[in-house]
């Protein structure tokens, strides 16, 4: 085992080059403390503008500048504390810093709460006169226009405070769901090749990927038996969440919970409906994929616990992190010299925290603060999946880097609707590079990975999105949403999406009960639109289309300076029609054909 393939128990054992350099945020904790205290001082300055925001153009401008200064500083001290905490969640000192910034964030939110109600009382003509008399306000035009666009959905300051308090109550279903499923539920042990293994939420999918069908079945039965025992509680919990969505929509004068969820990003209802329609048109391809999976696995019946097992086996690649980074650089070379130099800069200048150590937060993410480069947390394992993880997280990181370099703070946080585009573009380009250089056996494995991405990120998420739409419409029409009704709706959708190849049993009809995303209503459709947009963009980029590359780099620079659909349209993806989704699903069908051909050759 080489130096770069070692694993480490303690953080202090990890060589410096594999640890992020948080001194790029603050050279010392004393410097951090100084900025932490500065936030409170700025909040004291802010109080002079309460009730005076619209007194003059100068007052409006100074309020917005001070708000941004406070939020920038809060973001910086928060990032430093949280990243240090995630290095070792058992470190009580950094947990203390994290607790302090959390409390400070609540204080900041409270102190800033008067600004938006005052701004939305502004008339459009008055806003225009302010901008004409104060050139610096032009910077905030989109921010102010967007606030006034939603004016009818804001209430008086007193009513907003009541709604905010109700909002805390509305979070209860999500909290209850999380505590019940993560803390209180006890899952049994299962038999794995004659040995008892404890089933958990975390290892469930791993068991479903086992080549031993009895292991898959045992894990599936054990998990869903447990959930079934809580069906009434989970049904009531989800039902309460739906009522909370309805309350928020009605009190803000929206016609439906769906409309209320889409409007902040200025997404028309037609986009949601077009997405469902496009997916429905391409369901025969998913049915075909399911039939193929059933055939290759040699099954008389394809059960829900058979969906996750790979039919091509695992990749034999065991790359070091240096080899992974080199592969990512090669895979993204079509992005051009500027992008690659920034990618290399991130690898060289310790943006990444690479290895898993005791107490380190699990998973992977990209996080940062305005004015400082992004940071990427990894828990690198020596497999191909983690090569894709590096490409994905560096996609997020460079999206933030380009945005922060080109946008003022007010537009530096690109919306969730756009968040997964850059990361998925990187994965798509890396996939194409690996596929073009793979032998037949690995090519089949890569194609299966990509088909599974389509299944999980597009088809499955849109199934979720259609389920949410149906159950909210029922509740808004006054129909009681019971566990039996939820099972019925979810089961019918499974049959529709997966076709006759999949056996839809009573357990899987109740799968809605374990999906945490349902407690953030109408969120999951963004996975499908983001993935479809990324496929469309990556197809053009892979052809070394210089115009497409220029438009894409401008997309990365845009942040939130416009509405998400407009930013995507300038990049060459018009989601107001169903065309990008249809084109992405055509890619799915083409790769399915290629996968079928490869498997037939291997079987022969």
């Amino acid at each position: 085992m080489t130096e770069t393939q070692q694993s480490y128990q303690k953080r202090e054992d990890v060589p410096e080059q594999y640890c992020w350099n948080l001194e790029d945020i603050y050279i010392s904790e004393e410097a951090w403390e100084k900025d932490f205290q500065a936030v409170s001082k700025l909040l004291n300055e802010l109080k002079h503008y309460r009730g005076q925001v619209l007194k003059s153009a100068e007052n409006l401008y100074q309020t917005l500048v001070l708000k941004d200064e406070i939020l920038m500083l809060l973001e910086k001290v928060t990032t430093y504390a949280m990243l240090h905490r995630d290095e070792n969640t058992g470190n009580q000192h950094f947990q203390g810093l994290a607790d302090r910034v959390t409390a400070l964030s609540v204080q900041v939110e409270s102190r800033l709460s008067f600004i938006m109600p005052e701004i939305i009382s502004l008339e459009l003509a008055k806003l225009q006169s302010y901008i004409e008399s104060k050139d610096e306000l032009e910077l905030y035009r989109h921010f102010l226009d967007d606030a006034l666009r939603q004016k009818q959905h804001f209430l008086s300051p007193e009513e907003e405070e009541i709604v905010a308090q109700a909002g805390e109550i509305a979070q209860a279903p999500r909290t209850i769901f999380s505590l019940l499923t993560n803390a209180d539920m006890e899952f049994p042990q299962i038999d794995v090749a004659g040995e008892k293994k404890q089933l958990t939420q975390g290892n469930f999918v791993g068991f479903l990927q086992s080549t031993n069908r009895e292991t898959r079945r045992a894990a599936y039965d054990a998990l869903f038996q447990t959930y079934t025992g809580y069906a009434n509680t989970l049904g009531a919990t989800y039902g309460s969440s739906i009522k909370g969505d309805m309350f928020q929509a009605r009190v803000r004068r929206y016609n439906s919970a769906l409309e209320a969820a889409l409007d902040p990003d200025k997404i028309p209802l037609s986009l949601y409906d077009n997405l469902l329609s496009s997916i429905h048109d391409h369901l025969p391809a998913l049915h075909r994929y399911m039939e193929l999976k059933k055939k290759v696995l040699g099954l008389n019946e394809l059960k829900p616990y058979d969906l996750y097992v790979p039919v091509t086996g695992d990749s034999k690649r065991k790359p070091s992190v240096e080899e992974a980074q080199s592969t990512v650089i090669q895979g993204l070379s079509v992005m051009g010299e500027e992008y690659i130099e920034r990618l290399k800069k991130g690898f060289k200048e310790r943006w990444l925290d690479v290895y898993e150590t005791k107490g380190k937060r699990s998973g992977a993410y990209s996080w940062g603060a305005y004015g400082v480069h992004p940071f990427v947390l990894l828990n690198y394992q020596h497999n191909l999946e983690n090569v894709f993880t590096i490409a994905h997280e560096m996609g997020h990181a460079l999206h933030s880097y380009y945005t922060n370099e080109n946008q003022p703070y007010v537009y530096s946080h690109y919306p969730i609707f756009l968040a997964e585009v850059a990361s998925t573009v990187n994965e798509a380009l890396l996939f194409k590079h690996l596929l073009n250089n793979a032998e037949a056996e690995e090519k089949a494995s890569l194609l299966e990975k990509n088909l599974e991405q389509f299944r999980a990120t597009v088809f499955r998420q849109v199934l979720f999105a259609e389920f949410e739409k149906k159950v909210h419409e029922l509740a808004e029409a006054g129909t009681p949403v019971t566990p039996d009704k939820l099972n019925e709706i979810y089961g019918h959708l499974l049959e529709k999406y997966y076709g006759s190849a999949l056996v839809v049993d009573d357990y899987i009809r109740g799968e809605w009960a374990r999906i945490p995303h349902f407690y953030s209503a109408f969120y999951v459709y963004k996975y499908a639109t983001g993935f479809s947009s990324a496929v469309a963009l990556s197809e053009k980029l892979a052809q070394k289309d210089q115009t497409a590359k220029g438009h894409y780099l401008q997309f990365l620079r845009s942040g939130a300076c416009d509405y998400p659909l407009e930013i995507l349209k300038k990049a060459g993806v018009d989601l107001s029609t169903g065309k990008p989704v249809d084109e992405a699903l055509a890619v799915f069908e083409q790769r399915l054909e290629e996968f079928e051909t490869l498997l037939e050759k291997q079987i022969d």
Side-chain angles (χ1 to χ4, degrees), residues 205-220:
V205 172
F207 285 129
L208 290 193
Q209 292 172 335
S210 170
T211 55
N212 186 314
R213 199 179 192 209
E214 279 305 303
T215 297
R216 303 198 299 269
R217 183 197 58 76
Y220 174 82

Side-chain angles (χ1 to χ4, degrees), residues 390-562:
I390 291 175
H392 182 101
E393 297 305 335
M394 289 304 291
H396 285 307
L398 288 181
H399 190 180
S400 297
Y401 191 82
Y402 271 98
T403 290
N404 291 350
E405 189 177 54
N406 291 276
Q407 295 297 328
Y409 180 78
V410 66
Y411 304 128
S412 64
H413 297 86
Y414 45 79
I416 292 174
F417 190 91
L418 301 178
E420 292 300 326
V421 174
S423 56
T424 310
V425 162
N426 277 12
E427 285 200 72
L429 292 174
L430 175 60
F431 164 78
K432 279 180 167 290
H433 166 73
L434 292 172
L435 191 70
N436 290 337
N437 293 279
E439 300 294 334
E441 184 177 342
E442 187 175 37
K443 186 172 287 190
S445 180
L446 285 165
L447 284 167
E448 183 178 21
K449 171 183 167 54
N450 191 245
L451 293 172
E452 280 299 300
Q453 278 188 304
F454 271 99
R455 183 184 72 81
T457 312
V458 181
F459 290 106
R460 179 171 163 82
Q461 300 302 325
V462 174
L463 185 156
F464 289 167
E466 187 166 357
F467 174 77
E468 287 186 288
K469 185 172 187 286
K470 286 180 178 293
V471 297
H472 278 79
E473 286 174 346
L474 278 178
E476 286 164 347
T479 303
V481 180
T482 64
D484 285 346
K485 192 66 179 176
L486 292 168
N487 285 355
E488 177 189 334
I489 295 169
Y490 196 81
H492 284 162
L493 287 172
L494 285 169
E495 291 167 350
K496 176 179 181 178
Y497 275 67
Y498 285 94
S500 59
L502 182 70
V503 176
V504 177
D505 59 30
D506 287 341
Y507 280 159
I508 201 65
R509 291 179 192 277
E511 188 186 30
W512 58 266
R514 63 177 298 264
I515 308 300
H517 285 99
F518 290 159
Y519 292 86
S520 300
F522 305 111
Y523 171 90
V524 294
Y525 85 97
K526 298 175 185 179
Y527 288 115
T529 55
F531 190 93
S532 298
S533 300
V535 169
L537 292 167
S538 64
E539 288 293 301
K540 295 176 183 177
L541 291 168
Q543 295 167 11
K544 300 182 179 180
D545 183 326
Q546 293 303 305
T547 300
K549 186 180 76 173
H551 289 162
Y552 180 67
L553 290 176
Q554 188 55 42
F555 163 81
L556 296 180
R557 299 183 186 108
S558 296
C561 70
D562 202 344

Side-chain angles (χ1 to χ4, degrees), residues 60-79:
L60 175 59
Y61 176 68
Q62 291 300 334
T63 302
L64 294 175
V65 168
L66 186 53
K67 172 185 72 70
D68 286 353
E69 188 177 356
I70 290 168
L71 290 174
M72 262 191 288
L73 214 51
L74 175 66
E75 185 173 275
K76 193 175 178 184
V77 297
T78 298
T79 301

Side-chain angles (χ1 to χ4, degrees), residues 94-377:
F94 288 117
Q95 182 61 58
L97 295 192
D99 291 343
R100 288 178 65 193
V101 295
T102 299
L104 183 63
S105 298
V106 173
Q107 184 184 2
V108 168
E109 184 177 359
S110 174
R111 294 284 193 90
L112 295 178
S113 64
F114 73 89
I115 296 175
M116 286 305 293
E118 290 194 36
I119 286 176
I120 62 164
S121 68
L122 190 66
E123 295 298 328
L124 195 59
K126 188 71 171 177
L127 171 61
Q128 187 60 40
S129 71
Y130 275 179
I131 292 175
E132 288 174 357
S133 66
K134 182 75 176 175
D135 291 343
E136 292 90 339
L137 274 173
E138 184 64 40
L139 171 70
Y140 290 97
R141 181 183 288 276
H142 176 63
F143 171 81
L144 293 167
D145 283 347
D146 189 44
L148 295 182
R149 177 184 69 85
Q150 300 177 75
K151 182 174 182 175
Q152 64 175 311
H153 304 298
F154 283 92
L155 310 174
S156 71
E158 295 76 18
E159 290 168 328
E160 284 290 343
E161 186 174 351
I162 294 171
V163 172
Q165 292 174 1
E168 293 180 17
I169 298 170
Q171 294 299 312
R174 182 189 302 180
T175 302
I176 294 167
F177 171 83
S178 179
L179 290 173
L180 177 61
T181 57
N182 293 315
D184 293 345
M185 274 189 181
E186 294 186 4
F187 299 98
Q189 292 185 332
I190 62 172
D191 184 274
V192 180
E195 184 180 353
K196 291 294 183 181
K197 297 281 188 179
Q198 179 63 49
L199 177 68
T200 68
Q201 298 272 23
N203 64 20
F204 173 63
V205 172
F207 285 129
L208 290 193
Q209 292 172 335
S210 170
T211 55
N212 186 314
R213 199 179 192 209
E214 279 305 303
T215 297
R216 303 198 299 269
R217 183 197 58 76
Y220 174 82
D221 287 350
L223 184 114
F224 280 101
Q225 280 172 3
T226 306
Y227 269 93
T228 300
Y230 291 91
N232 290 325
T233 301
L234 288 165
T237 304
Y238 183 42
S240 297
S241 182
I242 293 170
K243 289 175 182 175
D245 300 333
M246 292 163 56
F247 168 77
Q248 290 289 335
R250 287 169 180 167
V251 78
R252 295 204 174 279
R253 308 184 190 99
Y254 286 105
N255 295 316
S256 67
L258 176 58
E259 185 183 15
L262 299 184
D263 187 54
D265 284 331
K266 202 180 177 183
I267 304 296
L269 290 170
S270 58
L271 183 145
Y272 205 93
D273 293 333
N274 287 342
L275 175 63
L276 299 185
S277 178
S278 291
I279 293 296
H280 294 167
D281 290 343
H282 293 271
L283 286 178
L286 181 60
H287 299 170
R288 202 169 103 214
Y289 179 43
M290 292 298 99
E291 291 287 358
L292 177 64
K293 201 171 187 76
K294 175 181 172 182
K295 176 183 176 183
V296 176
L297 290 172
L299 301 174
N300 293 324
E301 291 183 325
L302 185 71
K303 297 292 185 72
Y305 50 78
D306 298 317
L307 290 179
Y308 292 87
V309 60
V311 301
T312 55
D314 296 327
S315 171
K316 295 180 174 60
R317 292 194 186 205
K318 304 293 180 185
S320 69
V321 70
E322 286 83 3
E323 291 167 339
Q325 290 173 353
S326 177
T327 300
V328 170
I329 289 168
Q330 293 169 30
L332 302 184
S333 61
V334 295
M335 288 295 299
E337 185 176 338
E338 177 188 284
Y339 188 92
I340 294 301
E341 284 305 310
R342 294 177 181 204
L343 181 63
K344 290 178 179 178
K345 178 183 177 72
F347 292 153
K348 181 181 179 181
E349 297 184 4
R350 295 172 53 202
W351 295 8
L352 285 70
D353 203 79
V354 177
Y355 288 112
E356 181 178 17
T357 51
K358 183 176 175 58
K360 184 177 177 181
R361 175 172 164 167
S362 62
Y365 64 66
S366 171
W367 195 357
Y370 190 79
V372 185
H373 64 74
F375 294 86
V376 170
L377 179 137

